[in-house]
Amino acid sequence: MDGQTDFIQGKDGKKVHNGNFFWKILQLILCFPALQKLRLLFYFYDCLVLWGVRKAKKRKTEKKQILLVFPLSLGDSILFLGSLPCIRRIWPAAQHRLSLTCHTEYAALFSGYFDEVIAVDYRRASVDPLYRARFCRSFRKRYFDLAVDPVGCEACSPNVFVMHAVSAGEKIGAISASDQKFQCPAWMQRRIYTKILCNTQKNLHKVRYYAWFWSELGRRHCEPALARFSYPGRADLPARYVVIAASASTQVKQWPAERFAEIARRIWRLTGHALVLCGTARDRAVTERFLQELRDEAPYYDLVGQTSVTELIGVIGKAELVVTNDTGAYHIAVAQRRKVCVVTGGYVYDMFIDYGCRRYGCPEPAVVCPKWACANCGNHCVYRVKGIYPCVEHNTVEDVWSGVLRLLEDTK
């Protein structure tokens, strides 16, 4: 991104390439889906790293050792949290010790559900070969009676590679029905997993998918549910404000900053509510472009890169309205029962965007997204992508403003 530095600070104090080069490769892969098969190369690198490292042997312990593997993003984590109360019905605390590995930034979200949270910087593991080697070997040297991957083993994603590295007596994964070709070939799945659960319903929303997974795994019903939070807001914010999360997870999903700025100006003129800008440090470049376009025409509080994940949840939980672009802020707002307008494309519409919120007692969000026949492509865009997915670019300022107005009218 413009304005990004070439290095980030690692936990050990050393500088690590932040992925300008690797970030460009990721954008290239998203623009040309056929290149996603290149992720398979991580498997062969890990095989070299693990060669000669003995698998840990089973040892006698008071409780059965269970590992859940969930190295995904903030939005995925919010969707996953709703079903976690089910796991203790499957593995009672008296007989089982539950561990979870997740991305470092989100460890605080899971600490109340598990006996141990193994935090790993999975972004760094994708760009720093030495760091990746260390964490792979650490999993190989520790034994678990059971390792469980609820994410899905269709793609060559971090969860699959962790399952490859870990030493476990049994390894359980899942596959969902899809029209897309699997990135992770069948031979690799057979080498890694001892059992794979099959979900036959295509494009099942992730809240319902995780409930299905635990129901199938534990042979007892798990009701789909949203996460519940009780994190406080921030005392330095006004009583009434609107959250703007103007960044996306990747450039191809980024709605233009100048359009976001126009929406922000209109909200300020209509409501008089201050704007609170939210995001991680990685969103700083997008935020700077947004502020340049805003031109100080509305008061704002810039919290980008200045909140922990729990503080971010608390801030969103007190907002009058949330306007966001393909980011975890959307899922937080839905879980917090806030009014939210999301600007997105149709690439994972059924699985991530279309909650059917009324079944959970939530306000229906304003989803600004074209309904094209190619929806649910799973980021395998059929069009020639020039910077932004066409389905994201297609959303106009007036489309988004209509959604915002509907939510504001509901508030009145």
Side-chain angles (χ1 to χ4, degrees):
M1 283 186 182
D2 296 337
Q4 282 191 322
T5 58
D6 289 336
F7 293 90
I8 56 175
Q9 197 79 9
K11 270 192 165 183
D12 52 9
K14 294 181 179 180
K15 289 186 176 181
V16 183
H17 202 288
N18 84 338
N20 254 359
F21 173 71
F22 295 93
W23 182 85
K24 290 175 182 177
I25 291 178
L26 173 61
Q27 305 314 310
L28 190 64
I29 287 174
L30 289 171
C31 291
F32 300 96
L35 296 178
Q36 293 189 26
K37 293 181 180 179
L38 292 175
R39 291 172 175 165
L40 182 63
L41 296 177
F42 277 116
Y43 174 80
F44 296 105
Y45 173 80
D46 292 348
C47 285
L48 289 174
V49 165
L50 296 170
W51 183 79
V53 180
R54 290 186 179 182
K55 289 186 177 181
K57 294 183 179 180
K58 180 178 174 61
R59 55 189 178 87
K60 189 174 182 180
T61 56
E62 182 180 347
K63 296 181 179 181
K64 191 173 183 180
Q65 305 294 306
I66 312 293
L67 174 68
L68 269 63
V69 176
F70 198 83
L72 296 190
S73 67
L74 176 57
D76 294 278
S77 298
I78 300 301
L79 294 167
F80 185 53
L81 282 166
S83 68
L84 285 187
C86 298
I87 63 177
R88 279 303 182 186
R89 298 203 297 269
I90 302 173
W91 301 298
Q95 297 89 31
H96 303 86
R97 185 174 189 275
L98 292 184
S99 300
L100 172 89
T101 179
C102 68
H103 189 69
T104 306
E105 293 177 31
Y106 314 130
L109 297 176
F110 298 107
S111 59
Y113 297 94
F114 296 90
D115 300 301
E116 175 191 25
V117 176
I118 305 170
V120 175
D121 189 341
Y122 284 100
R123 293 191 187 97
R124 181 178 174 185
S126 297
V127 300
D128 182 348
L130 294 179
Y131 180 80
R132 184 182 185 90
R134 287 200 299 272
F135 100 77
C136 282
R137 288 170 180 161
S138 68
F139 277 117
R140 181 56 58 97
K141 294 176 181 178
R142 183 173 173 184
Y143 182 85
F144 294 92
D145 296 284
L146 172 64
V148 178
D149 171 13
V151 175
C153 51
E154 298 93 342
C156 291
S157 47
N159 52 295
V160 173
F161 299 125
V162 174
M163 291 292 284
H164 174 215
V166 73
S167 294
E170 186 177 10
K171 298 183 181 182
I172 299 178
I175 283 181
S176 292
S178 172
D179 291 329
Q180 303 298 327
K181 293 181 179 179
F182 294 163
Q183 294 174 24
C184 183
W187 63 262
M188 195 166 111
Q189 294 170 1
R190 290 193 297 269
R191 287 191 176 192
I192 295 174
Y193 298 88
T194 59
K195 181 180 180 181
I196 295 179
L197 306 179
C198 295
N199 166 40
T200 59
Q201 186 171 343
K202 291 183 180 180
N203 301 318
L204 186 64
H205 192 277
K206 286 298 181 178
V207 170
R208 297 173 61 197
Y209 165 80
Y210 291 125
W212 163 84
F213 182 84
W214 301 126
S215 299
E216 186 75 10
L217 185 65
R219 298 297 177 184
R220 59 184 68 193
H221 181 65
C222 177
E223 189 69 25
L226 302 184
R228 293 284 186 176
F229 301 111
S230 58
Y231 302 121
R234 287 182 49 144
D236 57 343
L237 296 179
R240 305 183 75 180
Y241 56 84
V242 173
V243 164
I244 302 290
S247 61
S249 55
T250 59
Q251 180 179 328
V252 290
K253 301 176 183 180
Q254 180 66 60
W255 200 54
E258 64 272 14
R259 300 186 197 178
F260 253 113
E262 176 59 25
I263 293 297
R265 278 192 290 268
R266 293 187 186 188
I267 291 174
W268 157 246
R269 292 167 186 161
L270 182 64
T271 67
H273 299 334
L275 310 177
V276 175
L277 313 183
C278 289
T280 69
R282 289 172 174 266
D283 302 323
R284 173 49 56 190
V286 174
T287 303
E288 291 301 328
R289 289 202 295 272
F290 168 84
L291 289 174
Q292 289 173 7
E293 296 294 337
L294 188 62
R295 297 189 293 274
D296 291 327
E297 293 182 28
Y300 64 88
Y301 295 77
D302 187 354
L303 301 185
V304 174
Q306 301 179 43
T307 58
S308 67
V309 65
T310 54
E311 288 173 332
L312 174 63
I313 292 170
V315 169
I316 290 176
K318 302 295 183 182
E320 296 288 321
L321 172 69
V322 178
V323 184
T324 180
N325 174 200
D326 186 74
T327 179
Y330 170 61
H331 302 293
I332 294 172
V334 171
Q336 291 281 59
R337 277 70 177 171
R338 297 291 91 192
K339 294 184 182 299
V340 55
C341 177
V342 59
V343 191
T344 186
Y347 30 85
V348 286
Y349 186 85
D350 288 340
M351 290 185 290
F352 283 88
I353 301 300
D354 187 15
Y355 278 83
C357 284
R358 288 194 177 90
R359 68 163 62 100
Y360 304 112
C362 298
E364 200 66 36
V367 177
V368 184
C369 175
K371 303 298 191 299
W372 291 353
C374 58
N376 299 308
C377 68
N379 297 310
H380 288 73
C381 187
V382 297
Y383 295 96
R384 183 172 178 81
V385 179
K386 296 181 179 179
I388 306 175
Y389 282 151
C391 55
V392 177
E393 174 73 23
H394 184 79
N395 297 315
T396 67
V397 168
E398 297 308 322
D399 293 333
V400 177
W401 184 238
S402 294
V404 169
L405 281 179
R406 177 175 68 78
L407 296 175
L408 293 175
E409 286 299 321
D410 290 346
T411 301
K412 291 179 183 179

